[in-house]
PDB file of all heavy atoms in Angstrom:
ATOM      1  N   GLY A   1      40.954  68.666 -14.315  1.00 84.00           N
ATOM      2  CA  GLY A   1      39.625  68.714 -14.910  1.00 84.00           C
ATOM      3  C   GLY A   1      39.599  68.242 -16.354  1.00 84.00           C
ATOM      4  O   GLY A   1      38.676  67.553 -16.781  1.00 84.00           O
ATOM      5  N   SER A   2      40.631  68.589 -17.112  1.00 88.00           N
ATOM      6  CA  SER A   2      40.656  68.141 -18.502  1.00 88.00           C
ATOM      7  C   SER A   2      40.809  66.625 -18.580  1.00 88.00           C
ATOM      8  O   SER A   2      40.283  65.987 -19.494  1.00 88.00           O
ATOM      9  CB  SER A   2      41.778  68.834 -19.270  1.00 88.00           C
ATOM     10  OG  SER A   2      43.028  68.576 -18.658  1.00 88.00           O
ATOM     11  N   SER A   3      41.506  66.041 -17.633  1.00 91.00           N
ATOM     12  CA  SER A   3      41.647  64.584 -17.608  1.00 91.00           C
ATOM     13  C   SER A   3      40.310  63.903 -17.345  1.00 91.00           C
ATOM     14  O   SER A   3      40.043  62.828 -17.877  1.00 91.00           O
ATOM     15  CB  SER A   3      42.643  64.159 -16.529  1.00 91.00           C
ATOM     16  OG  SER A   3      43.934  64.560 -16.873  1.00 91.00           O
ATOM     17  N   GLN A   4      39.481  64.518 -16.538  1.00 92.00           N
ATOM     18  CA  GLN A   4      38.152  63.966 -16.288  1.00 92.00           C
ATOM     19  C   GLN A   4      37.332  63.938 -17.576  1.00 92.00           C
ATOM     20  O   GLN A   4      36.684  62.941 -17.889  1.00 92.00           O
ATOM     21  CB  GLN A   4      37.416  64.787 -15.237  1.00 92.00           C
ATOM     22  CG  GLN A   4      37.979  64.667 -13.858  1.00 92.00           C
ATOM     23  CD  GLN A   4      37.298  65.598 -12.880  1.00 92.00           C
ATOM     24  OE1 GLN A   4      36.726  66.614 -13.264  1.00 92.00           O
ATOM     25  NE2 GLN A   4      37.361  65.258 -11.617  1.00 92.00           N
ATOM     26  N   LEU A   5      37.377  65.028 -18.316  1.00 92.00           N
ATOM     27  CA  LEU A   5      36.623  65.098 -19.563  1.00 92.00           C
ATOM     28  C   LEU A   5      37.153  64.108 -20.595  1.00 92.00           C
ATOM     29  O   LEU A   5      36.378  63.450 -21.293  1.00 92.00           O
ATOM     30  CB  LEU A   5      36.658  66.521 -20.123  1.00 92.00           C
ATOM     31  CG  LEU A   5      35.969  67.586 -19.267  1.00 92.00           C
ATOM     32  CD1 LEU A   5      36.168  68.964 -19.886  1.00 92.00           C
ATOM     33  CD2 LEU A   5      34.511  67.289 -19.094  1.00 92.00           C
ATOM     34  N   VAL A   6      38.476  63.976 -20.669  1.00 92.00           N
ATOM     35  CA  VAL A   6      39.066  63.025 -21.607  1.00 92.00           C
ATOM     36  C   VAL A   6      38.696  61.603 -21.214  1.00 92.00           C
ATOM     37  O   VAL A   6      38.363  60.776 -22.060  1.00 92.00           O
ATOM     38  CB  VAL A   6      40.603  63.207 -21.665  1.00 92.00           C
ATOM     39  CG1 VAL A   6      41.279  62.053 -22.368  1.00 92.00           C
ATOM     40  CG2 VAL A   6      40.947  64.517 -22.330  1.00 92.00           C
ATOM     41  N   PHE A   7      38.732  61.301 -19.918  1.00 93.00           N
ATOM     42  CA  PHE A   7      38.384  59.953 -19.457  1.00 93.00           C
ATOM     43  C   PHE A   7      36.949  59.604 -19.822  1.00 93.00           C
ATOM     44  O   PHE A   7      36.674  58.521 -20.347  1.00 93.00           O
ATOM     45  CB  PHE A   7      38.587  59.846 -17.945  1.00 93.00           C
ATOM     46  CG  PHE A   7      38.307  58.473 -17.403  1.00 93.00           C
ATOM     47  CD1 PHE A   7      39.269  57.482 -17.477  1.00 93.00           C
ATOM     48  CD2 PHE A   7      37.084  58.172 -16.829  1.00 93.00           C
ATOM     49  CE1 PHE A   7      39.016  56.217 -16.990  1.00 93.00           C
ATOM     50  CE2 PHE A   7      36.820  56.910 -16.344  1.00 93.00           C
ATOM     51  CZ  PHE A   7      37.789  55.926 -16.425  1.00 93.00           C
ATOM     52  N   VAL A   8      36.037  60.523 -19.583  1.00 93.00           N
ATOM     53  CA  VAL A   8      34.626  60.268 -19.899  1.00 93.00           C
ATOM     54  C   VAL A   8      34.446  60.085 -21.407  1.00 93.00           C
ATOM     55  O   VAL A   8      33.750  59.166 -21.851  1.00 93.00           O
ATOM     56  CB  VAL A   8      33.731  61.413 -19.369  1.00 93.00           C
ATOM     57  CG1 VAL A   8      32.329  61.305 -19.910  1.00 93.00           C
ATOM     58  CG2 VAL A   8      33.714  61.398 -17.850  1.00 93.00           C
ATOM     59  N   ASP A   9      35.092  60.931 -22.192  1.00 92.00           N
ATOM     60  CA  ASP A   9      34.964  60.818 -23.649  1.00 92.00           C
ATOM     61  C   ASP A   9      35.552  59.508 -24.161  1.00 92.00           C
ATOM     62  O   ASP A   9      34.953  58.836 -25.000  1.00 92.00           O
ATOM     63  CB  ASP A   9      35.650  62.007 -24.320  1.00 92.00           C
ATOM     64  CG  ASP A   9      35.441  62.014 -25.818  1.00 92.00           C
ATOM     65  OD1 ASP A   9      34.285  61.808 -26.245  1.00 92.00           O
ATOM     66  OD2 ASP A   9      36.427  62.212 -26.544  1.00 92.00           O
ATOM     67  N   LEU A  10      36.721  59.128 -23.660  1.00 92.00           N
ATOM     68  CA  LEU A  10      37.341  57.882 -24.108  1.00 92.00           C
ATOM     69  C   LEU A  10      36.548  56.658 -23.645  1.00 92.00           C
ATOM     70  O   LEU A  10      36.478  55.657 -24.355  1.00 92.00           O
ATOM     71  CB  LEU A  10      38.784  57.799 -23.631  1.00 92.00           C
ATOM     72  CG  LEU A  10      39.765  58.748 -24.312  1.00 92.00           C
ATOM     73  CD1 LEU A  10      41.154  58.623 -23.709  1.00 92.00           C
ATOM     74  CD2 LEU A  10      39.802  58.499 -25.802  1.00 92.00           C
ATOM     75  N   MET A  11      35.963  56.711 -22.481  1.00 91.00           N
ATOM     76  CA  MET A  11      35.137  55.590 -22.021  1.00 91.00           C
ATOM     77  C   MET A  11      33.901  55.448 -22.904  1.00 91.00           C
ATOM     78  O   MET A  11      33.422  54.349 -23.139  1.00 91.00           O
ATOM     79  CB  MET A  11      34.716  55.765 -20.563  1.00 91.00           C
ATOM     80  CG  MET A  11      35.790  55.401 -19.570  1.00 91.00           C
ATOM     81  SD  MET A  11      36.294  53.676 -19.650  1.00 91.00           S
ATOM     82  CE  MET A  11      34.817  52.862 -19.092  1.00 91.00           C
ATOM     83  N   GLN A  12      33.407  56.560 -23.406  1.00 90.00           N
ATOM     84  CA  GLN A  12      32.230  56.521 -24.273  1.00 90.00           C
ATOM     85  C   GLN A  12      32.587  55.933 -25.635  1.00 90.00           C
ATOM     86  O   GLN A  12      31.836  55.143 -26.191  1.00 90.00           O
ATOM     87  CB  GLN A  12      31.653  57.920 -24.448  1.00 90.00           C
ATOM     88  CG  GLN A  12      30.437  57.970 -25.339  1.00 90.00           C
ATOM     89  CD  GLN A  12      29.955  59.390 -25.572  1.00 90.00           C
ATOM     90  OE1 GLN A  12      30.642  60.349 -25.269  1.00 90.00           O
ATOM     91  NE2 GLN A  12      28.765  59.522 -26.101  1.00 90.00           N
ATOM     92  N   THR A  13      33.757  56.287 -26.157  1.00 90.00           N
ATOM     93  CA  THR A  13      34.100  55.848 -27.506  1.00 90.00           C
ATOM     94  C   THR A  13      34.864  54.527 -27.535  1.00 90.00           C
ATOM     95  O   THR A  13      34.640  53.709 -28.421  1.00 90.00           O
ATOM     96  CB  THR A  13      34.944  56.923 -28.224  1.00 90.00           C
ATOM     97  OG1 THR A  13      36.110  57.196 -27.439  1.00 90.00           O
ATOM     98  CG2 THR A  13      34.142  58.181 -28.420  1.00 90.00           C
ATOM     99  N   LEU A  14      35.759  54.297 -26.570  1.00 82.00           N
ATOM    100  CA  LEU A  14      36.604  53.106 -26.597  1.00 82.00           C
ATOM    101  C   LEU A  14      36.054  51.953 -25.760  1.00 82.00           C
ATOM    102  O   LEU A  14      36.320  50.803 -26.055  1.00 82.00           O
ATOM    103  CB  LEU A  14      38.018  53.437 -26.101  1.00 82.00           C
ATOM    104  CG  LEU A  14      38.795  54.464 -26.917  1.00 82.00           C
ATOM    105  CD1 LEU A  14      40.103  54.791 -26.227  1.00 82.00           C
ATOM    106  CD2 LEU A  14      39.052  53.936 -28.310  1.00 82.00           C
ATOM    107  N   ALA A  15      35.363  52.263 -24.693  1.00 73.00           N
ATOM    108  CA  ALA A  15      34.807  51.274 -23.770  1.00 73.00           C
ATOM    109  C   ALA A  15      35.890  50.410 -23.137  1.00 73.00           C
ATOM    110  O   ALA A  15      35.644  49.273 -22.781  1.00 73.00           O
ATOM    111  CB  ALA A  15      33.747  50.417 -24.445  1.00 73.00           C
ATOM    112  N   SER A  16      37.105  50.930 -23.002  1.00 87.00           N
ATOM    113  CA  SER A  16      38.181  50.211 -22.340  1.00 87.00           C
ATOM    114  C   SER A  16      38.729  51.079 -21.210  1.00 87.00           C
ATOM    115  O   SER A  16      39.327  52.133 -21.479  1.00 87.00           O
ATOM    116  CB  SER A  16      39.302  49.898 -23.330  1.00 87.00           C
ATOM    117  OG  SER A  16      40.436  49.423 -22.648  1.00 87.00           O
ATOM    118  N   PRO A  17      38.537  50.685 -19.965  1.00 89.00           N
ATOM    119  CA  PRO A  17      39.040  51.499 -18.853  1.00 89.00           C
ATOM    120  C   PRO A  17      40.553  51.716 -18.891  1.00 89.00           C
ATOM    121  O   PRO A  17      41.029  52.785 -18.529  1.00 89.00           O
ATOM    122  CB  PRO A  17      38.636  50.710 -17.617  1.00 89.00           C
ATOM    123  CG  PRO A  17      37.522  49.834 -18.058  1.00 89.00           C
ATOM    124  CD  PRO A  17      37.781  49.536 -19.493  1.00 89.00           C
ATOM    125  N   LEU A  18      41.291  50.714 -19.344  1.00 92.00           N
ATOM    126  CA  LEU A  18      42.743  50.863 -19.403  1.00 92.00           C
ATOM    127  C   LEU A  18      43.143  51.930 -20.425  1.00 92.00           C
ATOM    128  O   LEU A  18      43.969  52.802 -20.131  1.00 92.00           O
ATOM    129  CB  LEU A  18      43.405  49.531 -19.769  1.00 92.00           C
ATOM    130  CG  LEU A  18      44.923  49.565 -19.895  1.00 92.00           C
ATOM    131  CD1 LEU A  18      45.553  49.966 -18.566  1.00 92.00           C
ATOM    132  CD2 LEU A  18      45.440  48.232 -20.359  1.00 92.00           C
ATOM    133  N   GLN A  19      42.554  51.899 -21.605  1.00 91.00           N
ATOM    134  CA  GLN A  19      42.863  52.906 -22.620  1.00 91.00           C
ATOM    135  C   GLN A  19      42.421  54.299 -22.181  1.00 91.00           C
ATOM    136  O   GLN A  19      43.120  55.286 -22.424  1.00 91.00           O
ATOM    137  CB  GLN A  19      42.204  52.554 -23.942  1.00 91.00           C
ATOM    138  CG  GLN A  19      42.818  51.362 -24.633  1.00 91.00           C
ATOM    139  CD  GLN A  19      42.060  50.982 -25.887  1.00 91.00           C
ATOM    140  OE1 GLN A  19      40.853  51.194 -25.979  1.00 91.00           O
ATOM    141  NE2 GLN A  19      42.766  50.420 -26.859  1.00 91.00           N
ATOM    142  N   ALA A  20      41.269  54.376 -21.539  1.00 90.00           N
ATOM    143  CA  ALA A  20      40.789  55.672 -21.059  1.00 90.00           C
ATOM    144  C   ALA A  20      41.701  56.222 -19.965  1.00 90.00           C
ATOM    145  O   ALA A  20      41.990  57.423 -19.930  1.00 90.00           O
ATOM    146  CB  ALA A  20      39.360  55.541 -20.547  1.00 90.00           C
ATOM    147  N   THR A  21      42.175  55.355 -19.086  1.00 90.00           N
ATOM    148  CA  THR A  21      43.085  55.788 -18.030  1.00 90.00           C
ATOM    149  C   THR A  21      44.407  56.258 -18.620  1.00 90.00           C
ATOM    150  O   THR A  21      44.935  57.297 -18.216  1.00 90.00           O
ATOM    151  CB  THR A  21      43.329  54.642 -17.028  1.00 90.00           C
ATOM    152  OG1 THR A  21      42.078  54.234 -16.485  1.00 90.00           O
ATOM    153  CG2 THR A  21      44.235  55.076 -15.904  1.00 90.00           C
ATOM    154  N   LEU A  22      44.947  55.494 -19.563  1.00 92.00           N
ATOM    155  CA  LEU A  22      46.202  55.908 -20.198  1.00 92.00           C
ATOM    156  C   LEU A  22      46.035  57.222 -20.956  1.00 92.00           C
ATOM    157  O   LEU A  22      46.902  58.095 -20.885  1.00 92.00           O
ATOM    158  CB  LEU A  22      46.693  54.807 -21.140  1.00 92.00           C
ATOM    159  CG  LEU A  22      47.215  53.540 -20.479  1.00 92.00           C
ATOM    160  CD1 LEU A  22      47.522  52.482 -21.534  1.00 92.00           C
ATOM    161  CD2 LEU A  22      48.427  53.832 -19.630  1.00 92.00           C
ATOM    162  N   GLY A  23      44.942  57.363 -21.665  1.00 90.00           N
ATOM    163  CA  GLY A  23      44.704  58.599 -22.407  1.00 90.00           C
ATOM    164  C   GLY A  23      44.569  59.814 -21.508  1.00 90.00           C
ATOM    165  O   GLY A  23      45.109  60.880 -21.802  1.00 90.00           O
ATOM    166  N   SER A  24      43.867  59.657 -20.397  1.00 90.00           N
ATOM    167  CA  SER A  24      43.725  60.793 -19.488  1.00 90.00           C
ATOM    168  C   SER A  24      45.032  61.106 -18.767  1.00 90.00           C
ATOM    169  O   SER A  24      45.297  62.255 -18.444  1.00 90.00           O
ATOM    170  CB  SER A  24      42.599  60.542 -18.488  1.00 90.00           C
ATOM    171  OG  SER A  24      42.906  59.439 -17.668  1.00 90.00           O
ATOM    172  N   ASN A  25      45.873  60.103 -18.553  1.00 89.00           N
ATOM    173  CA  ASN A  25      47.189  60.363 -17.949  1.00 89.00           C
ATOM    174  C   ASN A  25      48.128  61.072 -18.920  1.00 89.00           C
ATOM    175  O   ASN A  25      48.956  61.857 -18.514  1.00 89.00           O
ATOM    176  CB  ASN A  25      47.830  59.062 -17.459  1.00 89.00           C
ATOM    177  CG  ASN A  25      47.220  58.600 -16.156  1.00 89.00           C
ATOM    178  OD1 ASN A  25      46.773  59.402 -15.362  1.00 89.00           O
ATOM    179  ND2 ASN A  25      47.207  57.300 -15.957  1.00 89.00           N
ATOM    180  N   ILE A  26      47.977  60.779 -20.203  1.00 91.00           N
ATOM    181  CA  ILE A  26      48.790  61.485 -21.197  1.00 91.00           C
ATOM    182  C   ILE A  26      48.437  62.971 -21.208  1.00 91.00           C
ATOM    183  O   ILE A  26      49.306  63.831 -21.350  1.00 91.00           O
ATOM    184  CB  ILE A  26      48.609  60.839 -22.594  1.00 91.00           C
ATOM    185  CG1 ILE A  26      49.299  59.490 -22.608  1.00 91.00           C
ATOM    186  CG2 ILE A  26      49.133  61.755 -23.689  1.00 91.00           C
ATOM    187  CD1 ILE A  26      49.029  58.677 -23.835  1.00 91.00           C
ATOM    188  N   VAL A  27      47.171  63.279 -21.033  1.00 88.00           N
ATOM    189  CA  VAL A  27      46.755  64.692 -20.969  1.00 88.00           C
ATOM    190  C   VAL A  27      47.406  65.371 -19.763  1.00 88.00           C
ATOM    191  O   VAL A  27      47.847  66.517 -19.849  1.00 88.00           O
ATOM    192  CB  VAL A  27      45.219  64.804 -20.894  1.00 88.00           C
ATOM    193  CG1 VAL A  27      44.787  66.206 -20.560  1.00 88.00           C
ATOM    194  CG2 VAL A  27      44.598  64.347 -22.184  1.00 88.00           C
ATOM    195  N   ASN A  28      47.526  64.686 -18.661  1.00 83.00           N
ATOM    196  CA  ASN A  28      48.139  65.253 -17.458  1.00 83.00           C
ATOM    197  C   ASN A  28      49.656  65.288 -17.532  1.00 83.00           C
ATOM    198  O   ASN A  28      50.289  65.953 -16.721  1.00 83.00           O
ATOM    199  CB  ASN A  28      47.722  64.480 -16.211  1.00 83.00           C
ATOM    200  CG  ASN A  28      46.581  65.165 -15.500  1.00 83.00           C
ATOM    201  OD1 ASN A  28      46.271  66.309 -15.747  1.00 83.00           O
ATOM    202  ND2 ASN A  28      45.958  64.438 -14.611  1.00 83.00           N
ATOM    203  N   ALA A  29      50.259  64.587 -18.475  1.00 84.00           N
ATOM    204  CA  ALA A  29      51.707  64.542 -18.576  1.00 84.00           C
ATOM    205  C   ALA A  29      52.300  65.856 -19.100  1.00 84.00           C
ATOM    206  O   ALA A  29      53.505  66.043 -19.051  1.00 84.00           O
ATOM    207  CB  ALA A  29      52.147  63.397 -19.483  1.00 84.00           C
TER     208      ALA A  29
END
């Protein structure tokens, strides 16, 4: 669930799906 929130937030601020995916995976790591 926290990865979902991070992904949505990063997509809003960065607008890069790759960066948002990497950021949300780091949260799950």
